Amino acid sequence: MTSLDKVLWRVWKAMELPEGYRAEIIEGVIEVSPTGHFSHARVVNRLRDALGAVLEGGEQGAWNAAYVIHERAAWIPDLLVAPRDPEPSKAGAGTKASEVQLIVEVVSPGKRSQDRDRLRKRREYARAGIPVYVLIDDYDDQGAVTLFTDPRPDQADWEDIHRVPYGTEVTIPEGPAKGFVIGEAITGPKRG
């Protein structure tokens, strides 16, 4: 880690935020944002409950509001699948990205939030080699789910990208959540 990275990491670890805010390190920048709105939380809770039921009894679990640490990045995805008893990162701030099998982000309103989930986090998750990234996006036309698989860490992108409008089912193709379906029961109907 360079000295600037060390300073960034120390600042992030020392931050005390007001209730309802979170701080992440995304592409070398500390980003502070509010927690999601009710509609955002509703989708995350539906997803966590359904995915938790599928993973019940296994070694992997559905997590939310947990930090994922990769090199000098620290993210709080809306939902992730990782071991029920993950090995903590060296900093002790969260689970190591290498243990995460799936990440889901539910896009929040506003250009900054949309760019964070659609672009910056998309690149970060690919760089970390997260096997599956799901983006649930109310603000993409009438709502869309995009499934990213086969990460290319050296390119900060994904080999396979599959986008469908709300109302069309998406099936997780690999990992502990293989066969899990994201459809209207999670996203709600097509918007507009």
Side-chain angles (χ1 to χ4, degrees):
M1 242 190 232
T2 67
S3 60
L4 184 57
D5 292 335
K6 288 178 184 177
V7 170
L8 181 70
W9 189 259
R10 281 191 214 126
V11 168
W12 173 78
K13 286 181 72 176
M15 292 179 76
E16 292 186 33
L17 299 173
E19 188 173 332
Y21 286 84
R22 62 190 195 169
E24 300 173 282
I25 302 173
I26 303 171
E27 295 189 329
V29 175
I30 296 175
E31 293 194 25
V32 177
S33 59
T35 54
H37 294 84
F38 179 75
S39 60
H40 181 276
R42 181 175 48 214
V43 171
V44 173
N45 285 335
R46 287 176 184 160
L47 186 59
R48 187 195 62 231
D49 291 348
L51 194 52
V54 168
L55 298 172
E56 190 173 342
E59 294 181 11
Q60 303 283 321
W63 294 74
N64 66 331
Y67 274 107
V68 175
I69 308 298
H70 178 67
E71 297 174 357
R72 62 183 184 264
W75 321 297
I76 304 175
D78 289 316
L79 187 104
L80 62 101
V81 172
R84 291 185 189 281
D85 189 21
E87 182 180 330
S89 66
K90 288 181 184 177
T95 189
K96 296 186 298 186
S98 61
E99 294 205 337
V100 175
Q101 300 299 308
L102 172 123
I103 284 183
V104 179
E105 293 287 359
V106 178
V107 177
S108 296
K111 180 168 178 14
R112 184 171 172 239
S113 295
Q114 292 168 11
D115 287 348
R116 181 182 57 238
D117 293 339
R118 291 175 182 163
L119 304 173
R120 292 189 306 277
K121 281 190 168 182
R122 169 186 170 165
R123 290 188 298 254
E124 288 278 67
Y125 298 154
R127 281 185 195 107
I130 304 295
V132 179
Y133 175 39
V134 177
L135 185 67
I136 299 174
D137 193 344
D138 275 359
Y139 308 97
D140 180 352
D141 196 21
Q142 295 179 337
V145 177
T146 306
L147 175 69
F148 300 88
T149 57
D150 199 9
R152 297 291 182 237
D154 58 325
Q155 298 171 12
D157 209 352
W158 304 81
E159 185 70 29
D160 297 314
I161 302 170
H162 180 69
R163 180 189 167 278
V164 299
Y166 281 5
T168 304
E169 294 183 344
V170 173
T171 303
I172 304 299
E174 61 185 83
K178 182 178 181 176
F180 181 76
V181 175
I182 299 172
E184 281 191 44
I186 304 292
T187 64
K190 187 181 289 190
R191 306 298 193 261

